[in-house]
Amino acid sequence: MKYQTDIHHRRSLRLKNYDYAQAGVYFVSICAQSRACLFGNIVNEEMVLNVVGKIVAEEWIKTVEIRNNIELDEWVVMPNHFHGILVINECRGTARRAPTVEQFGKPVPGSIPTIIRSFKSAVTKRINELRKSPGAKIWQRNYYEHIIRDENELNRMREYITNNPLKWEFDKENPNVRIHSGVVREPALLYGNEP
């Protein structure tokens, strides 16, 4: 079914009228489809990537290599999600374009939504080729993003990312954690040993 704004009412998590292609520091989190543990396992409080997790890491690095105004800061692939900090620098030697706002079906080159979309697409394509599973979903539909506004916030986000594997035992994204906010959950299936 084609997307229809009058029916689907897809609510954006982005700041209204914010130019996500402008210079800045951005924290992103992306979850695997159904929060399945596809990318590896935590062993002795360290993330051990499987073949699929290595694809995620390789594509994150490639995301930056093809763009000359973007830098990677701290990042981590977890069993069923990913956290990263992207730095968009001003393009030197070019006139600054007018602010651009991402609209459905109209990607803005170099914007956070376009970068994340291409990253998710590249990862999905490679994993599905590896598994011979065309069309299988790897990622949840959306992602979380936060604009980092100062050095203290940047340091807190870096610490959060660095410590994420250490806190996996209590992480709300960990399907083996049975109690969240007083609600008992059944553990989800783990797929960490798949290629």
Side-chain angles (χ1 to χ4, degrees):
M1 174 189 270
K2 186 177 177 192
Y3 177 82
Q4 297 174 11
T5 56
D6 58 327
I7 296 173
H8 294 102
H9 307 291
R10 193 168 163 187
R11 187 175 72 83
S12 174
L13 301 173
R14 314 287 83 80
L15 286 176
K16 192 173 180 134
N17 298 320
Y18 183 83
D19 180 4
Y20 281 92
Q22 73 180 324
V25 183
Y26 303 87
F27 170 84
V28 295
S29 287
I30 311 168
C31 289
Q33 182 69 24
S34 303
R35 289 185 168 76
C37 292
L38 303 174
F39 310 131
N41 294 301
I42 301 293
V43 178
N44 297 324
E45 299 181 335
E46 288 187 28
M47 181 61 194
V48 177
L49 299 175
N50 60 18
V51 174
V52 172
K54 289 176 184 173
I55 289 172
V56 174
E58 289 167 8
E59 290 301 329
W60 186 245
I61 292 167
K62 282 183 191 176
T63 296
V64 172
E65 289 175 346
I66 61 172
R67 294 171 178 87
N68 61 3
N69 69 322
I70 298 176
E71 297 174 33
L72 293 182
D73 199 287
E74 200 69 44
W75 58 276
V76 66
V77 180
M78 294 293 290
N80 62 1
H81 64 283
F82 172 86
H83 298 298
I85 297 173
L86 281 172
V87 180
I88 298 180
N89 298 305
E90 284 291 338
C91 291
R92 297 174 195 234
T94 59
R96 178 71 175 124
R97 59 184 171 23
T100 52
V101 178
E102 188 95 5
Q103 296 175 5
F104 185 80
K106 298 179 182 177
V108 175
S111 70
I112 293 297
T114 301
I115 292 165
I116 299 303
R117 187 179 307 112
S118 65
F119 165 70
K120 288 169 69 173
S121 177
V123 168
T124 300
K125 182 178 183 222
R126 283 188 61 194
I127 292 172
N128 284 339
E129 285 172 354
L130 175 73
R131 293 175 158 178
K132 297 176 180 30
S133 59
K137 292 184 179 185
I138 302 300
W139 301 107
Q140 288 187 357
R141 183 183 75 188
N142 217 331
Y143 65 95
Y144 172 81
E145 139 296 300
H146 175 77
I147 302 160
I148 298 174
R149 292 181 166 83
D150 61 40
E151 196 71 28
N152 287 335
E153 193 173 19
L154 176 59
N155 289 330
R156 279 194 310 274
M157 292 297 190
R158 285 173 174 155
E159 184 178 339
Y160 175 79
I161 290 171
T162 301
N163 291 331
N164 214 239
L166 301 173
K167 297 180 179 184
W168 178 243
E169 183 180 346
F170 307 103
D171 194 316
K172 67 179 181 166
E173 303 302 335
N174 183 340
N176 290 326
V177 174
R178 292 178 49 84
I179 299 178
H180 291 294
S181 306
V183 177
V184 177
R185 294 188 329 187
E186 290 301 315
L189 294 174
L190 293 178
Y191 302 101
N193 295 325
E194 284 189 34

